[in-house]
Structure formats: C-alpha cells, structure tokens
Amino acid sequence: MSGNGNAAATAEEDTPKMRVIRVGTRKSQLARIQTDSVVAMLKALYPGLQFEIIAMSTTGDKILDTALSKIGEKSLFTKELEHALERNEVDLVVHSLKDLPTVLPPGFTIGAVCKRESPYDAVVFHPKFVGKTLETLPEKSVVGTSSLRRAAQLQRKFPHLEFKSIRGNLNTRLQKLDELQEFSAIILAAAGLQRMGWQNRVGQILHPEECMYAVGQGALGVEVRAKDQDILDLVGVLHDPETLLRCIAERSFLRHLEGGCSVPVAVHTAIKDGQLYLTGGVWSLNGAETMQDTMQTTIHVPVQHEDGPEDDPQLVGITAHNIPRQPQLAAENLGISLATLLLNKGAKNILDVARQLNEAH
C-alpha cells in the first residue's frame, strides 16, 4: 500500500503546476468589478494560467474627509499598489486610467489600455428631483462632486447651482445623496455607474459642450513593472488601438500643461476618417475664466498585433509594443501642440491662480 502512495505522490510532483499571475486592485466594489473584467479577458486568452486577485486599501481610500484636490498627492489611489508591484507581491495592477499620473515612478509602465467605456459624466438626482435636469433644479440647489474640473465647468454653465465636495466610493456617495437632505444631485463618471449596474440611477448624461471629461476617463489601465517583458507581452494584447491613441493625446496634453487633481483641466477626443481630434480646456476654480481649443492630426488607427520596434520607450507612461509607433507619436505630439497653444495664449496664468487658490482654501 505504502509503495502505491509514494508513486501517487511522485506523479503529483511531476504534474506541472499552473503558473499563477497575481493581480493587485483597490478594495472598493467598483475596483473589484473592473479588475474582474480584466482578469476575465486574460483568462479567455490564457486558459493555461491561473489568476489570483489581491485587494488592498490606498491613501485615497483612507482619507475621506478631505477634497481630493487638497491632499496634494498625485498617486493617491496608486501608491500602495505600486509598492506591492515593486516588492514583487503582485505581477500587474488594474487601475482606472484617470487615477494614473502622467509621469509614473521609475520602473513602472502602463502595459495595456483597455477599450474605453463612456468617458462622460453623469448626474444622479436625489429621489425627490428625479425627472429634473441640472438646468431645471431649483435655485441654490447643492450639487456634490469630488472634482474641481466638474465644479468649474458646471458653475460656469449653471450659475444658479451651488457645488460642494463629496467624497467616498460610489456606494458611499449614493448613500449620502439618498439619505442626507444635503445634496439635490451628485456628478459621477458614467462608466463607473455602468460597471456597477446602476444605469437606472442616471438622470442626465453631460456631453462635452456642458462638461468635458477627465483625461483617461472611462478607460482601464494595467500597470506592470517596466522591465518585466513576460508580463508586458501577456497584457499587451489587451490594448485597444483607438482608446490607446486617444488617451496618449489626452495624457500628453495634461502632462505638458502640468495639470493634475489640483487644477481644472478637461478634454474631449474623437477619431473620425483617419483624423484624431483633441479638444482641451483649462478653467479658473469658479469657472469664470476659461481657455479652450481644438486641434487634429492625421492618424491611421492601426490593426492590433502589427510588429513594431522592440525598444520602444514609454509615451506618457504607456508601453505598446504591438501597436505601430507612428500613430502613437502623432497622438503624443497632438497633445503637446494643443497644450503649447493654450500656454501661449495665457493658460499658465489661469492654472497658477487656480493652484494657489486651491492650496489657500
């Protein structure tokens, strides 16, 4: 009997173990849903691999009594996850792309930009105001948003409303809206509500003429160690060429402006007939001053998996070996050109004043 037992044990040892890929994520329900969606795509592509999800809290999840723009930390929702990557505790991390700074810490890169969902902002109304729009809300109604970008644009567009900071994950914010009598409505990213299955709460979608969106909004980014070629190859197939090019242009615009959470900067991009269009704007904190413009560049949306040069440096933190280099460079240059145009028109002054006022409050 004992001989058979040993033989079984040896056979088990000889069976190759499935390789386990460890995936880091924030603990919030939305972060978990987003990570699960990326892992599901990877599982379908690599049935021979196992994936283990490791959830952790970030600084941004812990500091809930302060407006994001006041905390003064660019990597609020990413730092702890990057530490885990650095210590080799995880192999890749799934983020909302808009949470990833345009300059990543050395040693990291965005190895995949997944297909974008709606980049727009959505308005969720207090139950007693269902059926209203921002325009038809009563005078001095309070609207909650955690974003200076939204507040600046909407104050300009809807001067009869008051805007107040609201923090917490999606569940917490909706609870605050429904249970406290403080807010008539709150503004959230449409993509987040969609992913949570809460489309029925959306009372109004804000289109770019009312409120342009944040850089990278609606897209997911997969962050990896820059030198981990194996994992880079593994996740690189998730790049969506159109989303990638739009987000390179947006991130390049923001980086060149030196914008971040503490100043109101917004964008709108589109690809049509081989042209990439980028509209970008900056606002004063109260929305009274603004500067916006649109530029375009010729771009041929590449077919995925074309071979590109192997030694590509990153563009605005993104590595995409399997997408041709030329359209990526054109997208990056478009962002730089539009930022330069606005800076030459005086955008720096608007941003500097916004930054100072935000820090002083």
Side-chain angles (χ1 to χ4, degrees), residues 32-245:
R32 290 300 304 261
I33 288 171
Q34 294 180 164
T35 301
D36 288 347
S37 74
V38 170
V39 168
M41 288 191 279
L42 289 171
K43 274 182 176 166
L45 289 162
Y46 306 106
L49 295 178
Q50 242 180 334
F51 293 87
E52 180 191 347
I53 295 174
I54 298 165
M56 54 197 90
S57 290
T58 65
T59 310
D61 295 315
K62 291 169 192 160
I63 307 173
L64 292 174
D65 54 353
T66 312
L68 289 179
S69 57
K70 297 267 190 285
I71 302 171
E73 167 62 70
K74 270 190 182 166
S75 51
L76 268 183
F77 295 111
T78 58
K79 198 190 254 180
E80 284 79 0
L81 296 164
E82 283 170 345
H83 285 168
L85 259 182
E86 199 168 24
R87 291 190 299 262
N88 214 356
E89 292 164 10
V90 295
D91 300 301
L92 55 107
V93 174
V94 179
H95 301 279
S96 291
L97 188 60
K98 68 181 171 119
D99 290 339
L100 279 165
T102 54
V103 179
L104 297 184
F108 302 110
T109 188
I110 299 163
V113 175
C114 305
K115 189 169 175 61
R116 187 177 222 165
E117 292 201 35
S118 167
Y120 303 125
D121 289 316
V123 189
V124 178
F125 292 92
H126 186 280
K128 69 179 178 199
F129 290 120
V130 166
K132 296 269 189 200
T133 63
L134 289 181
E135 206 158 354
T136 59
L137 275 178
E139 191 81 23
K140 299 234 178 307
S141 291
V142 176
V143 177
T145 173
S146 56
S147 148
L148 292 178
R149 168 189 63 81
R150 292 171 182 146
Q153 292 182 80
L154 295 172
Q155 256 170 304
R156 183 183 176 88
K157 193 89 184 161
F158 305 103
H160 70 292
L161 302 176
E162 288 178 10
F163 292 87
K164 196 176 166 193
S165 176
I166 183 169
R167 287 288 321 281
N169 60 37
L170 278 191
N171 310 54
T172 311
R173 284 189 236 179
L174 282 173
Q175 206 176 342
K176 284 181 183 176
L177 170 70
D178 291 342
E179 292 176 11
L180 308 175
Q181 295 305 312
E182 191 179 354
F183 299 102
S184 301
I186 58 175
I187 317 285
L188 300 165
L193 288 162
Q194 229 167 309
R195 290 180 185 128
M196 294 284 273
W198 292 341
Q199 297 93 320
N200 64 327
R201 289 301 310 261
V202 175
Q204 182 180 3
I205 292 285
L206 297 172
H207 292 289
E209 51 281 5
E210 294 164 307
C211 189
M212 285 200 282
Y213 42 84
V215 165
Q217 186 161 313
L220 299 179
V222 181
E223 189 177 17
V224 302
R225 290 178 288 273
K227 291 204 163 75
D228 199 339
Q229 195 54 52
D230 197 21
I231 298 289
L232 261 173
D233 292 343
L234 185 90
V235 302
V237 294
L238 298 180
H239 271 305
D240 176 65
E242 188 163 321
T243 304
L244 172 77
L245 296 176

Side-chain angles (χ1 to χ4, degrees), residues 326-348:
Q326 211 40 54
Q328 293 186 59
L329 288 170
E332 184 190 40
N333 289 331
L334 179 64
I336 292 170
S337 301
L338 184 61
T340 305
L341 177 71
L342 292 190
L343 289 169
N344 289 343
K345 284 183 173 179
K348 189 177 184 333

